[in-house]
Amino acid sequence: MVQVSSDIPVTQQNSNAESSDDFSQRTQEIATDICRQAKKIDTLAESLPGTTNAVGELEKDFQELNRENEQVTVELQEANRQARELLDSLSAMLTAIADNFGSSTT
């Protein structure tokens, strides 16, 4: 058993513990895996859009997205207006049908 700190005494041998060579090898493998994963994360982060763009390019992209957003907002408002007109028209027709039906049954 390996004492990891002088403040913590080794009091009991663990019969299932790995040998110090195996422990060192596993520790090295874990450290290597951590380094590989860190490199993968760095590579993924670098491939994200916008991480390598200059400030001017980001501002240009933002302005373009803002223009597109304004255009879509106008289109949405127009579609909403048309839907409201259609709803009002249908409501008027149904009211007329109901009034006509009510006057013909009395």
Side-chain angles (χ1 to χ4, degrees):
M1 226 165 144
V2 177
Q3 186 171 2
V4 292
S5 171
S6 60
D7 296 336
I8 304 171
V10 176
T11 59
Q12 186 176 17
Q13 182 72 21
N14 185 344
S15 61
N16 295 327
E18 297 176 331
S19 69
S20 62
D21 289 340
D22 288 344
F23 181 77
S24 295
Q25 183 180 359
R26 278 175 114 16
T27 304
Q28 184 63 38
E29 289 172 3
I30 291 171
T32 302
D33 287 345
I34 290 171
C35 290
R36 281 189 193 129
Q37 295 303 323
K39 182 61 179 167
K40 286 180 185 179
I41 290 169
D42 288 344
T43 301
L44 288 172
E46 289 173 2
S47 69
L48 289 172
T51 57
T52 58
N53 292 347
V55 173
E57 289 179 48
L58 291 174
E59 287 176 356
K60 180 182 159 193
D61 291 345
F62 178 76
Q63 289 172 354
E64 178 62 28
L65 287 172
N66 197 27
R67 278 192 291 276
E68 289 176 17
N69 187 36
E70 289 172 358
Q71 179 182 354
V72 170
T73 299
V74 169
E75 292 171 7
L76 177 62
Q77 289 171 342
E78 176 61 21
N80 192 20
R81 185 192 61 76
Q82 291 174 356
R84 177 69 55 197
E85 287 178 2
L86 182 59
L87 179 63
D88 291 345
S89 176
L90 284 171
S91 180
M93 282 187 222
L94 290 173
T95 301
I97 291 170
D99 290 345
N100 189 19
F101 181 73
S103 63
S104 65
T105 59
T106 52

